[in-house]
Amino acid sequence: MTIDENLLVLLLALLLDRIAGDPQWLWSRMPHPVVMFGAAISYADRQLNPESLTGSQRRMNGIAAILALLLVAIAAGFVFNRFFALFGLAGILLETGLVAIFLAQKSLADHVAAVAVALRDEGLAGGRTAVSRIVGRDPETLDEPAVCRAAIESLAENFSDGVVAPALWYAVFGLPGLFAYKMLNTADSMIGHKSEKYIDFGWAAARLDDIANWPAARLSILLIAAGAWIRRGTSAGREAIRVAMRDGALHRSPNSGRPEAAMAGALNVQLAGPRIYGGVIVREPMINDTGRDVATSGDIEDGVSVFYASCMVLAGVTFGLFLCFL
């Protein structure tokens, strides 16, 4: 496909995902593509990451594994692209449906909004259960403001790597780029953490994922600021950019802190800070430490509102670029 066709498909996919999200009736009957990516990563892990290897051997195997997985993903993207091209308009619609599967607008917003609903209907226990579905930190260590912060942080971070990044990689490189990005991002979530088992084997996946998400994380700042301006006024849009520029690098991730800081500024709330993963305290400074220090369920709902407005801006930019390339 040409870039204008990619942009048309992306625009349609953004609209479809916004309306339909992730249809559970479909994925209860067949495996989600990301599940298949995960199965391939797990196979590589079992075959190439035995405990008997040294750290350097694991690192070399990890490099080989992620490169092989990326080549498979790119090849699959080319095959699907050529297959859809055989069917003209019907092929464009089929590709639209496939691209929408890899976006996470409605599903992400639904999961985050469910945390606010659970806090109000079921109290802290319900909020902890709901937030445990979207974050990796220990839910039993979270009080209500911490539950709210965790939900907002997940919303902002996943806006970048679950919406903006796949949209960007598809717009530029089509299905091969989208498949490669999703394979890499899935690998990072599975083997890219710094446990004893994966600190070497997952090193390449984690570093490449940082590189792949770098442009989307910075673009997310502008999109969140635009969404904040639409939903909360000019000052919220300015604060989103100001706090992102000032505090975006405070996060341990080179990318996650950017959209999180933008959302913190948009909502005038503190995010990040010390938290517990698997019983281990991760000490980080507060993002937007001059903002409100108690996040509420109302802040979650405001964050979802800003998120949806940011997604609308992304669709608008896509439409504008499509017109430019016509």
Side-chain angles (χ1 to χ4, degrees):
M1 281 191 176
T2 59
I3 191 166
D4 60 317
E5 292 173 325
N6 285 353
L7 290 167
L8 174 61
V9 169
L10 177 58
L11 176 61
L12 295 174
L14 286 166
L15 297 175
L16 177 61
D17 178 59
R18 173 65 181 84
I19 295 168
D22 251 349
Q24 290 306 308
W25 60 266
L26 177 62
W27 307 127
S28 64
R29 291 169 172 78
M30 63 180 293
H32 194 286
V34 172
V35 173
M36 292 187 281
F37 287 178
I41 295 161
S42 294
Y43 177 80
D45 182 20
R46 291 193 302 272
Q47 297 299 313
L48 298 175
N49 191 29
E51 294 181 0
S52 58
L53 297 182
T54 65
S56 59
Q57 289 172 323
R58 287 186 178 191
R59 180 166 293 198
M60 292 303 298
N61 280 4
I63 294 171
I66 194 59
L67 291 178
L69 289 165
L70 289 175
L71 285 174
V72 169
I74 291 168
F78 274 115
V79 169
F80 274 97
N81 178 259
R82 297 310 302 161
F83 176 72
F84 291 148
L86 299 174
F87 299 97
L89 177 59
I92 289 176
L93 297 178
L94 288 170
E95 186 156 332
T96 294
L98 182 57
V99 174
I101 289 170
F102 290 98
L103 301 172
Q105 295 170 102
K106 187 175 186 299
S107 59
L108 173 58
D110 286 349
H111 279 94
V112 172
V115 179
V117 173
L119 281 170
R120 288 176 175 166
D121 294 349
E122 305 169 40
L124 180 56
R128 285 171 170 172
T129 299
V131 84
S132 69
R133 300 187 183 107
I134 57 174
V135 300
R137 65 198 71 176
D138 298 341
E140 296 307 313
T141 66
L142 303 177
D143 59 13
E144 185 166 332
V147 168
C148 296
R149 287 198 304 272
I152 296 167
E153 290 162 19
S154 179
L155 178 69
E157 178 182 354
N158 285 290
F159 172 61
S160 176
D161 61 21
V163 179
V164 180
L168 184 60
W169 280 87
Y170 176 78
V172 178
F173 296 110
L175 285 179
L178 176 62
F179 281 22
Y181 172 76
K182 292 303 293 187
M183 178 68 82
L184 182 59
N185 192 241
T186 305
D188 179 61
S189 68
M190 292 177 64
I191 64 173
H193 37 90
K194 296 182 179 180
S195 65
E196 182 179 352
K197 182 178 182 181
Y198 293 121
I199 190 168
D200 292 305
F201 184 72
W203 174 83
R207 298 292 78 74
L208 288 174
D209 185 71
D210 287 343
I211 295 170
N213 278 300
W214 195 95
R218 277 76 188 166
L219 177 58
S220 295
I221 295 172
L222 299 178
L223 293 171
I224 290 172
W229 176 74
I230 291 170
R231 295 297 188 213
R232 298 174 59 81
T234 305
S235 62
R238 283 200 303 262
E239 279 298 289
I241 293 177
R242 186 183 70 82
V243 175
M245 295 296 101
R246 187 191 68 192
D247 294 349
L250 295 179
H251 200 284
R252 70 186 186 281
S253 164
N255 296 314
S256 298
R258 268 66 187 188
E260 288 186 22
M263 188 64 79
L267 302 178
N268 186 34
V269 69
Q270 296 178 4
L271 294 179
R275 36 203 197 281
I276 300 175
Y277 294 88
V280 177
I281 298 177
V282 175
R283 300 191 181 279
E284 290 184 0
M286 279 290 183
I287 290 174
N288 192 27
D289 60 1
T290 58
R292 288 181 293 108
D293 60 358
V294 176
T296 67
S297 59
D299 291 316
I300 297 176
E301 292 170 339
D302 288 344
V304 171
S305 177
V306 170
F307 165 80
Y308 269 140
S310 301
C311 292
M312 181 177 67
V313 173
L314 175 61
V317 170
T318 302
F319 180 62
L321 289 172
F322 168 67
L323 295 178
C324 289
F325 280 98
L326 273 180

